[in-house]
């Protein structure tokens, strides 16, 4: 979902935006299993003048296909980029998690 820094700041109980608040928001999101992009919005080295109307996207890091692709693109040093992208474009089931493989089997059975 798309959100802005003002709403995230308020939801997490902060009064003002600043470099420490940006880092805290990033840590809080990650602590509850959420990812976000663009990464620069919550990076105080890049976003030196944060504004409450700055937009970012927040997503569930649930191990699903979308989350794996986003994580691979946003943090390529930590994820198997080739596996995530190959699985997405080729329908290669070897790159899917066990739950995703089960869902694919269910789709075939129910078709």
């Amino acid at each position: 979902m798309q959100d802005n820094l003002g709403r995230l700041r308020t939801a997490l109980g902060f009064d003002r935006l600043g470099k420490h608040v940006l880092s805290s928001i990033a840590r809080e999101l990650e602590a509850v299993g959420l990812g976000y992009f663009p990464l620069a919005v919550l990076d105080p080295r890049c976003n030196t003048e944060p504004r409450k109307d700055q937009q970012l996207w927040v997503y569930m890091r649930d191990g699903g296909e979308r989350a794996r692709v986003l994580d691979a693109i946003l943090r390529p040093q930590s994820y198997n980029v080739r596996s995530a992208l190959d699985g997405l474009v080729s329908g290669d089931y070897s790159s899917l998690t066990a739950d995703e493989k089960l869902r694919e089997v269910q789709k075939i059975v129910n078709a």
Side-chain angles (χ1 to χ4, degrees):
M1 73 176 201
Q2 190 173 21
D3 212 338
N4 66 47
L5 288 182
R7 280 193 294 265
L8 288 170
R9 175 199 67 198
T10 302
L12 295 172
F14 296 108
D15 295 325
R16 300 179 61 180
L17 286 170
K19 65 180 180 179
H20 299 296
V21 172
L22 292 178
S23 298
S24 294
I25 291 171
R27 280 192 306 275
E28 290 289 330
L29 291 174
E30 290 182 16
V32 297
L34 297 173
Y36 60 90
F37 65 91
L39 297 176
V41 173
L42 293 181
D43 185 342
R45 296 168 299 176
C46 299
N47 192 359
T48 58
E49 295 184 26
R51 300 287 181 244
K52 66 181 183 179
D53 61 337
Q54 288 179 305
Q55 300 289 311
L56 75 158
W57 287 86
V58 178
Y59 64 96
M60 297 278 302
R61 295 183 73 207
D62 57 3
E65 190 172 315
R66 284 186 185 107
R68 284 195 341 268
V69 169
L70 286 169
D71 286 338
I73 292 169
L74 295 170
R75 296 171 180 87
Q77 68 282 3
S78 302
Y79 293 90
N80 186 339
V81 176
R82 183 177 306 277
S83 174
L85 297 179
D86 284 351
L88 176 68
V89 297
S90 71
D92 177 9
Y93 296 125
S94 65
S95 67
L96 299 178
T97 66
D99 287 338
E100 290 170 331
K101 288 177 185 176
L102 181 58
R103 282 194 294 269
E104 289 300 318
V105 169
Q106 289 171 337
K107 284 181 194 175
I108 292 169
V109 170
N110 292 327

